[in-house]
């Protein structure tokens, strides 16, 4: 079925056996294992990835950042910021 991020995701697990599974239509990865030990994946099909993704993760991150940027402008809008060699007014 559909998964919005990973088909299987795990952190710091040990002695993992993933066998005889089909993982498809995921947005990021079929299997994401971080810091895991002794992992066996056998007789499994991973993919295809979902290609009908209306927005990327960057959109979500940008939306989450907007309130913080607004607070930054509200608190420091009359100041300037050195960015890439230029001195830019924050409210710009």
């Amino acid at each position: 079925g559909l998964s919005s991020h990973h088909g299987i995701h795990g952190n710091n697990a040990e002695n993992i056996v993933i066998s005889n599974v089909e993982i498809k239509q995921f947005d990021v990865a079929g299997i994401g294992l971080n810091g895991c030990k002794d992992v066996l994946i056998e007789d499994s099909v991973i993919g295809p990835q979902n290609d009908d993704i209306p927005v990327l993760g960057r959109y979500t991150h940008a939306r989450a950042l907007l309130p913080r940027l607004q607070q930054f402008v509200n608190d420091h809008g009359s100041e300037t910021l050195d960015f890439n060699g230029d001195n830019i007014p924050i409210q710009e």
Side-chain angles (χ1 to χ4, degrees), residues 42-79:
E42 63 182 3
D43 301 321
S44 298
V45 176
I46 313 300
Q49 181 177 9
N50 183 9
D51 62 1
D52 182 23
I53 304 171
V55 295
L56 299 175
R58 290 184 204 102
Y59 173 79
T60 303
H61 289 110
R63 289 286 308 243
L65 185 60
L66 284 175
R68 303 296 287 158
L69 288 174
Q70 185 61 59
Q71 179 186 0
F72 185 72
V73 169
N74 292 344
D75 294 347
H76 305 282
S78 62
E79 299 175 35

